[in-house]
Amino acid sequence: MPSRTVLAVAGWATAAVAATLTGLAAVQVIGDGITSSTEGGVLTPEQVERQLASATASPSAGPSTASHTPTPTSSPSAGGPSATTVKEVFSTPGGTVIAECDGAVVRLVSWAPAQGFGVERAGAGPDEHAEVRFEGTAGKVELRVRCVSGRPSGSWKQDD
């Protein structure tokens, strides 16, 4: 019996060493991709400024969702929204909504309930107004969005 225990411990130790070496090898291989530098070292302030300048000069791959102010974005004009739509982020106790206006028509781009809430219903549009209703243990929160002068404008109410 003692030889089985020794064999099991040796097998476990071998597996642990193999897993550690595999992890270290993987980090070594992808290390340059993580740091975005050929040396794998710290970037100088000049390198940071150059990378930031090149990043802001290129168009973004998707819509900005972190903004709290209306954001004009370009959209394809063939069968879609007009050349300029304006997006706005609305935060409520029940969740967060991103809405966009194309003239007087509003559309909910996305919505995400806050922790403890779920989406009871959503009327995403496009229409004269759009709404989403979040429901959770703290009550119900309803957000209604419409376009005022081409910009999303929202109001919400909370029922206990």
Side-chain angles (χ1 to χ4, degrees):
M1 282 296 197
S3 64
R4 280 188 159 176
T5 304
V6 171
L7 190 56
V9 169
W12 176 85
T14 303
V17 168
T20 301
L21 292 176
T22 301
L24 290 172
V27 169
Q28 181 68 31
V29 169
I30 65 170
D32 288 342
I34 293 172
T35 61
S36 297
S37 169
T38 56
E39 301 98 29
V42 178
L43 298 176
T44 66
E46 292 79 23
Q47 289 172 318
V48 171
E49 286 181 25
R50 253 183 276 129
Q51 287 186 4
L52 287 174
S54 67
T56 57
S58 63
S60 64
S64 171
T65 58
S67 175
H68 291 285
T69 59
T71 307
T73 58
S74 295
S75 302
S77 57
S82 67
T84 302
T85 58
V86 179
K87 293 184 182 181
E88 176 76 44
V89 177
F90 298 96
S91 294
T92 72
T96 303
V97 174
I98 300 174
E100 71 179 6
C101 284
D102 183 7
V105 177
V106 66
R107 182 177 73 89
L108 301 184
V109 176
S110 68
W111 51 91
Q115 187 170 0
F117 284 84
V119 176
E120 182 181 319
R121 73 172 186 262
D127 205 343
E128 291 179 5
H129 73 276
E131 62 186 35
V132 63
R133 185 171 184 162
F134 300 106
E135 185 173 341
T137 56
K140 297 178 182 180
V141 178
E142 185 171 335
L143 171 69
R144 290 180 56 98
V145 182
R146 62 189 182 99
C147 295
V148 177
S149 300
R151 294 180 177 263
S153 175
S155 62
W156 60 271
K157 65 179 182 177
Q158 183 170 6
D159 298 328
D160 295 329

